[in-house]
Amino acid sequence: MGEVERNSLNFWCQKITNDPELLPEDKEGRKQGAPGFDGKIVKTYCNISVQRICRGLGYDKLDGMLANQMHEYLSKNWIIPAGDKKDKMLAAYNAGKIGDLAILAQKGNEHGHVAIVAPREPMLFSGKWGLYVPQVANVGKTNGFMGANWAFPEVPDVFVLGRTIT
């Protein structure tokens, strides 16, 4: 893993987070920013964005899953970094930095949330969580690159595909 993988991950993260089809929708199906959009978001596409970024990098095993289903799959099939929350966030950051797939995921009652760790530096300090967090390619209520603390209400679980683990 190296510069080529990092650039490829960054390309797919940018392409997917900027896709207007993945903007949040209101109850009438109007996209955020469209005329008539009422500001009350009822539908987001985090699972689709993660599937598309992964597929762009040659990994298609998350296709067709919702966020909670992804969390279940990832917890059984991907690497869960050892250590406390700080160690896990650092592992996610290091994986993304070299182009490996790392996904932050949180289960929810109706649906959860997932986001890909972007190959962006530096880690950002979250006063909300009291630790440094990686930047993510987020598709949800707000689409774009942001600190993980802005994409998730609580510290999410960390999953790494493991192409960087020797």
Side-chain angles (χ1 to χ4, degrees), residues 5 10 20 29 37 46 63 65 76 79 86 89 110 137:
E5 293 83 2
N10 192 54
F37 179 75
C46 65
D63 286 1
M65 293 185 196
K76 294 176 184 167
I79 295 166
K86 176 184 168 191
M89 289 292 143
E110 292 182 42

Side-chain angles (χ1 to χ4, degrees), residues 36-153:
F37 179 75
D38 69 6
K40 296 177 185 154
I41 296 168
V42 296
K43 189 170 186 181
T44 60
Y45 299 95
C46 65
N47 60 318
I48 303 297
S49 71
V50 167
Q51 290 165 12
R52 289 182 181 177
I53 292 168
C54 287
R55 202 176 316 128
L57 297 168
Y59 188 88
D60 64 1
K61 295 186 175 163
L62 301 176
D63 286 1
M65 293 185 196
L66 298 174
N68 280 344
Q69 293 168 318
M70 286 183 186
H71 188 286
E72 288 283 321
Y73 177 85
L74 296 169
S75 67
K76 294 176 184 167
N77 296 287
W78 283 33
I79 295 166
I80 300 170
D84 61 13
K85 293 174 184 179
K86 176 184 168 191
D87 297 330
K88 291 173 191 273
M89 289 292 143
L90 182 59
Y93 168 75
N94 285 333
K97 189 168 76 171
I98 61 171
D100 197 0
L101 283 169
I103 297 176
L104 303 185
Q106 194 167 58
K107 287 185 94 170
N109 291 334
E110 292 182 42
H111 58 84
H113 187 59
V114 289
I116 297 278
V117 174
R120 299 261 169 134
E121 298 179 54
M123 289 182 78
L124 305 173
F125 185 74
S126 166
K128 177 168 86 172
W129 296 341
L131 64 131
Y132 283 89
V133 299
Q135 296 181 53
V136 295
N138 189 66
V139 168
K141 291 181 180 179
T142 304
N143 293 4
F145 292 97
M146 62 192 67
N149 57 311
W150 290 100
F152 294 89

